[in-house]
Amino acid sequence: MAKTPRKLKKARARHAKSCEGKQAHKSKKEAEEVARKMRAERGRRNLSAYACQSCGKWHLGNRR
Ligand SMILES: [Zn+2]
């Protein structure tokens, strides 16, 4: 089960691609502002801003 490094590589590529369709914010402040609104309006309590490794911008995602 642990001998699947190629699968990992594939998963990473998919992640980088998926970030294209996501809303990107140019700063943490901006992303957190949107996250705060969504938490208040939609009850998305797990929503948090994170710096994207692929595009260098900020996205909103579920905290783990
Ligand atoms: Zn990204």
Side-chain angles (χ1 to χ4, degrees):
M1 275 290 190
K3 298 174 185 172
T4 51
R6 276 181 200 170
K7 245 184 181 176
L8 253 169
K9 215 173 182 181
K10 214 172 188 180
R12 258 190 202 175
R14 198 186 297 151
H15 174 76
K17 215 171 194 180
S18 74
C19 103
E20 282 176 26
K22 271 191 172 178
Q23 202 176 351
H25 307 280
K26 57 178 180 273
S27 70
K28 186 182 185 182
K29 197 182 166 190
E30 193 179 299
E32 283 186 337
E33 186 75 10
V34 175
R36 197 167 55 82
K37 272 184 192 166
M38 281 176 90
R39 276 197 293 264
E41 289 169 14
R42 305 184 200 180
R44 297 281 300 272
R45 295 179 78 191
N46 289 325
L47 205 64
S48 64
Y50 67 90
C52 181
Q53 301 285 324
S54 322
C55 69
K57 288 179 183 174
W58 292 79
H59 297 306
L60 300 179
N62 291 318
R63 203 158 17 194
R64 278 170 216 173

